[in-house]
DNA sequence: GTCTATAGAGAGATAGAC
DNA sequence: GTCTATCTCTCTATAGAC
């Protein structure tokens, strides 16, 4: 491997510390301690806090978007297959790192300038990717943004709300991680119903 | 009023600074400057950074939950009326302060211990509030957690994702604030479809 | 590559004059 | 109530010995 053991230990510690505390509250000392190395080694390998953070952020962006875009652009699957596949894969992926969505959305919001250059996704015109084209043939009357917000909201929001909801003793969010996994098979069916909903009613 | 003009100026500045930067990155000097007052006045009125933050957080918690719980517990409205009412009121309320959901979820996650005592909601047993009882009579086969996650996901997630999505040039999230407002009438209809979805199918 | 030691900037908080 | 000045601590980052 090209990375030394020390470098990888520091990177792994940085992943944990940044994900737990966010950029601002994370300290270089936290990272060094968690990695079991001397403070100055963190700077030796990564030069600055901002630099190591951007490396971690780029990794996380790839996980959160890189695992979803390829299925969205695939011209050889139906819309139903896409929804099935993405819901399943995505919930499994994020379940291994459940704070990922909050981390990415929240850190991006705080310093958009620092990350706008990180977009490999930046160039993608959603109007021309398969999943949106398929949606448009079924529902030309609805802005595809609604479709994406619905799908991602049903899939991702539970991870974002999990901490707060499970701590507020409501009696219904006690095994929220189990509930989230049930959603793998439910979300595609709910999305189908949403797709068929007549919005001019009432 | 019981609060002096200075105290209120500081509080308003604190609201803005904390919402923009989060607790960790916000500085007492930021707050003083934004309020147009001397640094030591912030400590004079609020004694510590943590203290003023908790005051703001409590306020924000009341906005995000206080505007929704009363409608959920109301025994005199149907489930359909609740969904209509909440979706509309909530989207209007949060639109005035669109970073509110991210702020509350994100700051809570980072320091749960600091805020667990802030719950006025803590004692509410969701299994006994009207909206959940109504849901259970319609769908006794589904965990009510799904119902709440669906409704709140459709309603709140767009606010959380808005920043990131609108900056990634997808071509479909350009007027996302307008899109979000359209959802006021759509969400109740989508929820109706979701409620009627047969989940044993396939 | 890894350590000790420290520079230099910035933070939260307070003492004390007015 | 409001100011100036400052204490004390902690942070990122680096210089320099090994």
């Amino acid at each position: 491997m090209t990375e030394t053991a020390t470098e990888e230990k520091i990177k792994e510690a940085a992943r944990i510390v940044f994900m737990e505390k966010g950029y601002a509250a994370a300290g270089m000392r936290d990272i060094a301690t968690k990695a079991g190395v001397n403070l100055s080694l963190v700077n030796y390998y990564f030069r600055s806090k901002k630099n190591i953070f951007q490396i971690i952020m780029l990794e996380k962006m790839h996980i959160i978007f890189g695992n979803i875009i390829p299925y969205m652009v695939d011209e050889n699957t139906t819309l139903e297959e896409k929804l099935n596949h993405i819901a399943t894969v995505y919930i499994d992926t994020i379940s291994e790192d459940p704070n990922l969505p909050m981390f990415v959305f929240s850190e991006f919001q705080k310093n958009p300038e620092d990350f706008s250059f990180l977009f490999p996704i930046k160039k993608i015109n959603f109007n021309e990717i398969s999943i949106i084209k398929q949606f448009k043939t079924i529902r030309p009357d609805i802005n595809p943004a609604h479709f994406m917000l619905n799908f991602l909201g049903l899939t991702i929001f539970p991870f974002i709300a999990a901490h707060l909801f499970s701590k507020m003793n409501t009696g219904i969010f006690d095994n929220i991680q189990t509930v989230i996994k049930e959603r793998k098979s439910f979300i595609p069916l709910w999305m189908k119903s949403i797709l068929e909903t007549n919005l001019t009613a009432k």
Side-chain angles (χ1 to χ4, degrees), chain A:
Chain A
M1 52 181 162
T2 69
E3 289 177 353
T4 69
T6 304
E7 185 172 353
E8 185 47 43
K9 270 197 302 184
I10 295 170
K11 211 191 253 182
E12 180 57 20
R15 284 186 195 101
I16 296 168
V17 173
F18 280 132
M19 290 281 293
E20 262 179 17
K21 304 192 173 187
Y23 177 75
M28 296 294 265
R29 281 169 181 80
D30 297 334
I31 296 172
T33 303
K34 175 137 300 192
V37 304
N38 189 279
L39 166 64
S40 49
L41 285 185
V42 183
N43 284 289
Y44 174 77
Y45 282 104
F46 296 96
R47 234 189 56 252
S48 75
K49 181 183 173 184
K50 188 165 212 161
N51 185 51
I52 189 172
F53 179 71
Q54 288 185 328
I55 290 168
I56 305 300
M57 184 70 163
L58 181 57
E59 270 187 21
K60 298 296 184 185
M61 288 276 221
H62 270 115
I63 298 174
I64 204 169
F65 293 117
N67 277 294
I68 195 173
I69 305 274
Y71 298 109
M72 290 186 176
V73 303
D74 189 345
E75 302 273 354
N76 299 314
T77 53
T78 65
L79 183 55
E80 194 178 339
E81 285 167 345
K82 284 185 177 66
L83 295 177
N84 264 299
H85 195 107
I86 294 173
T88 306
V89 169
Y90 216 49
I91 287 179
D92 281 337
T93 304
I94 308 293
S95 289
E96 292 173 22
D97 197 1
N99 295 335
L100 182 59
M102 176 85 96
F103 175 77
V104 170
F105 286 116
S106 148
E107 295 297 332
F108 181 87
Q109 184 198 12
K110 279 170 197 159
N111 282 79
E113 330 80 53
D114 290 356
F115 308 114
S116 47
F117 80 94
L118 289 177
F119 282 122
I121 309 103
K122 203 172 182 176
K123 310 261 170 137
I124 295 183
N125 182 350
F126 269 46
N127 282 297
E128 288 168 15
I129 72 175
S130 179
I131 193 170
I132 300 295
K133 284 190 293 184
Q134 288 168 328
F135 170 78
K136 282 180 173 173
T137 63
I138 301 177
R139 296 302 299 254
D141 57 321
I142 304 176
N143 187 331
H146 286 300
F147 171 70
M148 292 305 300
L149 289 172
N150 291 345
F151 186 41
L152 297 176
L154 292 177
T155 308
I156 295 177
F157 178 76
F159 291 102
I160 292 172
H163 270 93
L164 183 51
F165 285 2
S166 63
K167 292 231 174 170
M168 63 205 275
N169 290 10
T170 59
I172 65 172
F173 297 115
D174 296 340
N175 315 47
I176 194 157
Q177 298 304 331
T178 310
V179 170
I180 288 176
K181 286 192 178 135
E182 280 179 7
R183 298 172 69 81
K184 289 193 279 186
S185 55
F186 293 169
I187 289 173
L189 299 169
W190 289 328
M191 283 303 294
K192 191 160 186 286
S193 298
I194 286 177
L195 272 170
E196 292 163 358
T197 303
N198 177 3
L199 295 178
T200 60
K202 181 86 188 207

